[in-house]
Amino acid sequence: MSDIQNQIAANGQAALSSVAAAQTLADLDHVRVTVLGKKGTLSEALKSLGQVPAEERPKLGALANEWKSKVESAIDARKVDLEAKQIELELVKTKLDVTLPSRKIHQGSLHPITQTVRKVSQVLGRIGFDVAVGPEIETDFLNFEAVNIPKDHPARDMQDTFFIGPGVVLRSQTSPVQMRAMRSQKWPVRILSPGVVYRCDSDATHSPMFHQIEGLWVDQKVSLADLKGVLDFFAKELFGSDTKIRLRPSYFPFVEPGAEVDVSCAICAGKNPTCSMCKGTGWLEILGAGMVHPRLFELAGYTPSEVSGFAFGMGVERIAMLLHDIPDLRLMFQGDQRFLKQF
Ligand code: PHE
């Protein structure tokens, strides 16, 4: 056997043991390069065949090629093994415990105030009221003068207002939204204006920031009877079909006549003198209302003799407190989960 023949066989054997010893895909690749690469041992052997006598070349060439394919298939087989080993290793490392309990899904819920606004809007939406909104920073003119509360009018004391600049206030009521609507469109107008309002007031039943919903219906021949019909429907939808309403004459500068509206107490119907809701009176005040003052039509650019209308306004927190028997209004602004989770 010639030296070259021995050399080829030795190189081939060495390559096979390196393949068998390779522990990673990187090791294996290294073997491939050092044996079969351009400068690899077997490739060099093939190149040196130029120096052997011509009659020996075919035999030696065949031998070298035989070893080359032996090593190639050994590398391929080892590669399959090593890849399987690697997957195995990864599986062990990233073990999944399918018995672990899953993460809890936290479901949010709507704040009782949002729920109440939506409920009221939905009930009145069914009889044709559209929702209208306006800015919380309002002009003194629209918040007061345009709704018939001129400067120095004693009615300004009814709403302790935050003045934030000359002629600018944090709106103390959502009535300016009604005025904005009338000034921007011709009658008929039938709107609801839910929104945040501000008054300098704070105790168990008052908050410096609270929510109001006002309603306005202006058309030809809208009457006090229509107002009563709408409020009766509203009260029955909100508090139950047995609910009765009662109108007591009252004063609001933007309506004439004006009234405070009560609903019958669903808890005791006036039969329990110590009832926590109605204190035994049988009635709970829920809103203010009345027939739109002709002065407002003038300021809106309507002809007062052509139209009539009614308006009503309620505090959303008060309605929510009555609906859910909430004792203190401040609970609604503290963000306490124990309170909020009940809704
Ligand atoms: N804006 C009035 C208030 O805040 C509520 C109201 C509206 C009363 C419409 C009567 C008519 O007191």
Side-chain angles (χ1 to χ4, degrees), residues 110-127:
L110 293 177
H111 193 279
I113 290 175
T114 308
Q115 284 183 22
T116 308
V117 168
R118 290 198 183 179
K119 174 88 186 156
V120 170
S121 307
Q122 182 223 337
V123 166
L124 291 170
R126 272 163 42 209
I127 51 171

Side-chain angles (χ1 to χ4, degrees), residues 159 172-173 175 199 212 214 252 254-255 288-290 311-314:
Q159 303 178 3
S172 60
Q173 49 185 351
S175 310
R199 289 183 201 176
Q212 270 194 342
E214 289 197 19
F252 298 98
F254 25 82
V255 288
F312 57 89
M314 68 195 90

Side-chain angles (χ1 to χ4, degrees), residues 137-140 162-170:
I137 295 174
E138 189 52 282
T139 59
D140 181 293
F162 291 106
F163 289 85
I164 59 170
V168 183
V169 301
L170 288 181

